[in-house]
Amino acid sequence: MVTKVPPRPATARRALRLLLATGLAAGSLVVVPGTAQAEDEKSGGTTLTVAVSQSIDSLSPFLAQKLTSTSIHRLAYEYLTNYDPKDAHAIPGLATAWKSSPDKLTWTYTIRKDSTWSDGQRATAEDAAWTFNKMMTDPNAATANGSFTANFAQVTAPDPQTLVIRLKKPQATMTALDVPIVPKHVWEKVTDFSKFNNDKEFPIVGNGPFVITDFKVDQYIKLKPNKKFWRGAPKFDELVFKYYKDGDAAVAALQKGEVSFVPNLTPAQAAALKTQKNIKVNDAPGRRFYALATNPGAKAQDGKTFGNGHKALLDPEVRKALFLAVDRTTLVDKVFQGHAVEGEGYIPPRFGSYFWKPEGAQERAYDPARAEQVLDAAGYRKNAAGKRVGKDGRPLDFRILCHATDPNDKAVGKYLQEWWGKLGVGLKVDCLDSVSDPWVKGDYDLAFDGWSVNPDPDYVLSIHTCGTLPATPKDSGATDNFICDKEFDGLYAQQAVEYDAAKRADLVKRMQSRLYDTGYMNVMAYPNALEAYRTDQIRSITTMPEAAGNLWGQDGYWSWWSAVPTARAEDSDGGSSAGVVIGIGAAVVVVLGLGVLLGLRRRSTADDRE
């Protein structure tokens, strides 16, 4: 959708600039010296600032898994292919073309001649080959994206424009390799990929539309346009992701004009902002799921178990009873206030060909009476105090990891305490600034989980395979929740080599069915992308998909790359060719965050783990 704001006459523009200079423009907003707006007035530059609540886990593309981090890497590095903003089909990125051998075991990519690293060196096939080979030979370099290269047999660059990948067996994701390509001449100096976070020397060399210029932990990350970007430089002079621990503070900053864009709004925040002048609320079908995850018994690939998860949750009947006592309709109506769809399968309905939902006897519909019966039959009886206890006499008192920055977690937690309390099950809601530490240690019973799903679902499926478990309890892995199920793994292996779209979609649905039946995950909702921006700061911007899509956490760099500042659009009478016009103005502040995030591809529990 494209909304166009008519340009003001030159006299009006001059008057506006005069008002801005005296601090009396835009609905009596006073511009205080030192703010982003004031600095831009002095320098003549334009800044787009995005508010976020999720911390950066790493600026190393080999380690980063959180949505904020991977979203930034989308801006700083090219991938071999990209996703079209209209319908998400594969389009050229660093590679201009690709083809496979008849047996699908050899893929040849033509690398573009016009991609340049921000330090002036040309990006070549050798950079891509080095990136993939490092992931294939160093387990630490495979931490974030190792599932994409696990099936690679050999990667070579016979010349600067040709990349050849030979596979062990066919692989269906070869046009959807979501792996940032890094400059060999910079990264070959790294000695320990498990510890190198790429956050000490700036600017960071990249070949994407933006260059990372500065970073302060839990404060901000700043980027400048890459003037050499082959698709064309972004229109804003600076892009800033600013950290806000408190969502209300981020909204207040938006209202004051201190930031241009805020993602992951609560329904109450969105309703309030809809009445505000110069603010547009975007409410679109989301690409995330919001789920309950149970600790299935944290373990490593060496067979050793760890963590302190409640043993009763290893009983599938206990998990079944808990999920039977979750009223998804109430959560959508009361917590999300209608800005979500009831959860069913693992893949959100936005991805139609892969969407699956349980039917008939398989479905765990809300049925608290049945939950009581299941617990009784499984031997978890109520004692005199009304508490459920196991055969060992231990009460069913659980802990759930909650993201302190996510009001949805807190609200849902209260409902769970009420519903499960009626079953005789206790629940302590542990809201933490970062849930990652206890999560990776296996020190939890349940957790609020969520991931952003890519057009190709391979990644979010891979994080539940046995191969993503940590090598030892001391290591980290790419697993989301320590799930290891041989039947699921077998289906994953089949879909990974299936090129027939319909057959692959059927396998993906069978995988979701199996994951549902194990009871380790309960998808409660598919939240809408609920976000807002200043229409007096951004002239136009592209959503994905362009028709009723999201701006934050896209599969690509389209939103921030396409954004046109109002002042520049007025001077040139230009604008984005597609998108949603969000505002008029000379400054935009962007704040990163979320744990709903909301894990681009990546995680919420993955958002803090996604």
Side-chain angles (χ1 to χ4, degrees):
M1 177 180 70
V2 178
T3 306
K4 296 208 172 177
V5 179
R8 298 186 180 93
T11 53
R13 293 201 300 271
R14 286 194 292 272
L16 174 60
R17 287 167 184 152
L18 177 61
L19 286 172
L20 284 170
T22 59
L24 299 175
S28 300
L29 169 65
V30 178
V31 180
V32 181
T35 65
Q37 290 94 332
E39 292 302 314
D40 283 341
E41 286 297 310
K42 293 176 183 178
S43 65
T46 56
T47 299
L48 184 123
T49 301
V50 176
V52 297
S53 61
Q54 183 189 50
S55 300
I56 300 292
D57 54 348
S58 178
L59 287 181
S60 166
F62 298 97
L63 299 178
Q65 293 178 289
K66 291 184 180 180
L67 181 63
T68 48
S69 310
T70 57
S71 294
I72 289 167
H73 289 146
R74 280 277 184 190
L75 303 175
Y77 302 97
E78 274 278 52
Y79 298 13
L80 287 182
T81 60
N82 206 331
Y83 299 102
D84 187 276
K86 292 184 177 66
D87 60 9
H89 74 270
I91 60 173
L94 182 59
T96 60
W98 47 87
K99 61 181 180 180
S100 69
S101 59
D103 62 5
K104 306 292 187 183
L105 291 177
T106 301
W107 284 75
T108 303
Y109 300 82
T110 301
I111 304 301
R112 65 175 59 257
K113 296 179 180 180
D114 55 351
S115 180
T116 305
W117 297 111
S118 53
D119 63 1
Q121 293 198 36
R122 177 183 167 190
T124 70
E126 182 60 29
D127 295 303
W130 186 89
T131 299
F132 290 130
N133 277 303
K134 176 55 65 173
M135 294 168 62
M136 293 162 61
T137 57
D138 186 338
N140 292 319
T143 298
N145 299 306
S147 63
F148 290 113
T149 60
N151 183 45
F152 288 12
Q154 183 184 48
V155 182
T156 58
D159 62 65
Q161 275 188 269
T162 306
L163 175 73
V164 180
I165 300 178
R166 189 166 58 82
L167 304 173
K168 301 172 185 175
K169 55 187 177 182
Q171 182 169 323
T173 62
M174 297 307 289
T175 60
L177 297 172
D178 293 324
V179 177
I181 304 302
V182 303
K184 175 186 176 182
H185 65 280
V186 174
W187 284 83
E188 64 183 353
K189 301 171 186 176
V190 177
T191 56
D192 187 345
F193 278 75
S194 69
K195 298 179 180 179
F196 183 71
N197 281 314
N198 197 30
D199 57 1
K200 297 295 185 285
E201 295 185 13
F202 299 93
I204 294 174
V205 178
N207 65 338
F210 290 90
V211 178
I212 301 172
T213 59
D214 195 10
F215 170 60
K216 298 296 182 186
V217 176
D218 286 349
Q219 294 185 48
Y220 62 78
I221 183 166
K222 297 181 178 180
L223 302 93
K224 293 284 189 182
N226 180 1
K227 301 297 185 181
K228 302 172 184 177
F229 186 53
W230 66 271
R231 198 184 288 274
K235 305 299 189 298
F236 276 87
D237 297 310
E238 186 174 45
L239 174 62
V240 178
F241 293 94
K242 187 176 179 182
Y243 179 80
Y244 284 85
K245 179 179 178 180
D246 182 75
D248 288 334
V251 169
L254 180 74
Q255 292 172 314
K256 295 175 183 178
E258 295 172 356
V259 302
S260 307
F261 175 87
V262 177
N264 311 320
L265 298 172
T266 66
Q269 291 169 339
L273 289 173
K274 283 182 178 180
T275 65
Q276 301 291 304
K277 184 179 180 181
N278 298 325
I279 291 178
K280 169 73 174 178
V281 173
N282 186 41
D283 186 357
R287 55 186 289 251
R288 294 185 59 79
F289 63 79
Y290 181 74
L292 273 177
T294 64
N295 185 338
K299 59 185 174 183
Q301 293 190 46
D302 64 4
K304 295 180 180 178
T305 59
F306 54 96
N308 59 15
H310 200 299
K311 300 301 183 183
L313 288 171
L314 300 181
D315 186 338
E317 293 302 290
V318 173
R319 300 195 299 269
K320 179 180 179 180
L322 293 180
F323 296 156
L324 283 169
V326 175
D327 186 353
R328 301 190 305 277
T329 301
T330 292
L331 296 182
V332 168
D333 291 344
K334 301 299 184 181
V335 176
F336 295 97
Q337 295 181 27
H339 300 281
V341 176
E342 285 187 36
E344 296 176 298
Y346 188 65
I347 307 296
R350 170 167 159 176
F351 304 97
S353 62
Y354 296 115
F355 177 65
W356 169 89
K357 61 181 182 180
E359 296 180 352
Q362 184 182 20
E363 183 179 7
R364 292 188 296 264
Y366 178 55
D367 190 343
R370 175 63 178 150
E372 294 266 11
Q373 295 169 4
V374 169
L375 288 175
D376 287 340
Y380 299 90
R381 300 281 181 172
K382 288 183 178 179
N383 60 19
K387 294 285 296 182
R388 293 276 178 180
V389 295
K391 297 174 183 178
D392 58 359
R394 184 180 180 185
L396 297 189
D397 285 331
F398 302 126
R399 306 157 295 167
I400 187 167
L401 287 176
C402 156
H403 302 84
T405 57
D406 188 351
N408 292 326
D409 283 8
K410 299 173 184 177
V412 174
K414 291 181 179 179
Y415 277 105
L416 295 181
Q417 287 176 320
E418 175 187 346
W419 295 332
W420 293 353
K422 293 177 181 179
L423 293 179
V425 175
L427 181 66
K428 179 184 178 184
V429 182
D430 291 328
C431 292
L432 308 174
D433 289 340
S434 173
V435 303
S436 292
D437 288 344
W439 194 303
V440 299
K441 293 177 182 177
D443 291 340
Y444 67 100
D445 300 327
L446 301 108
F448 291 109
D449 197 359
W451 284 77
S452 294
V453 178
N454 283 359
D456 189 296
D458 181 85
Y459 183 83
V460 292
L461 296 172
S462 74
I463 58 178
H464 296 306
T465 57
C466 301
T468 58
L469 295 175
T472 73
K474 295 182 179 180
D475 295 313
S476 60
T479 182
D480 174 42
N481 196 46
F482 303 105
I483 294 174
C484 177
D485 178 74
K486 296 301 182 182
E487 183 175 335
F488 183 90
D489 274 23
L491 292 168
Y492 176 80
Q494 291 181 57
Q495 68 81 32
V497 303
E498 182 55 70
Y499 282 87
D500 183 283
K503 292 180 180 179
R504 184 169 182 237
D506 180 66
L507 287 166
V508 169
K509 291 175 181 178
R510 289 170 59 190
M511 291 179 70
Q512 295 178 75
S513 177
R514 177 58 186 171
L515 187 62
Y516 186 90
D517 286 344
T518 64
Y520 293 123
M521 296 278 292
N522 182 38
V523 177
M524 297 181 289
Y526 308 113
N528 286 8
L530 202 56
E531 49 200 11
Y533 41 77
R534 299 280 318 183
T535 58
D536 57 354
Q537 294 183 5
I538 303 176
R539 174 76 176 192
S540 64
I541 191 167
T542 300
T543 59
M544 184 177 184
E546 287 181 355
N550 56 290
L551 293 167
W552 169 247
Q554 292 182 355
D555 302 296
Y557 41 64
W558 308 113
S559 53
W560 316 128
W561 171 77
S562 70
V564 177
T566 300
R568 185 163 296 171
E570 288 177 351
D571 292 339
S572 64
D573 290 329
S576 174
S577 60
V580 177
V581 172
I582 31 190
I584 307 172
V588 180
V589 179
V590 182
V591 181
L592 295 159
L594 182 54
V596 149
L597 206 192
L598 320 131
L600 174 130
R601 210 181 72 204
R602 305 271 215 267
R603 330 199 200 196
S604 284
T605 333
D607 239 310
D608 199 35
R609 296 201 17 128
E610 277 257 283

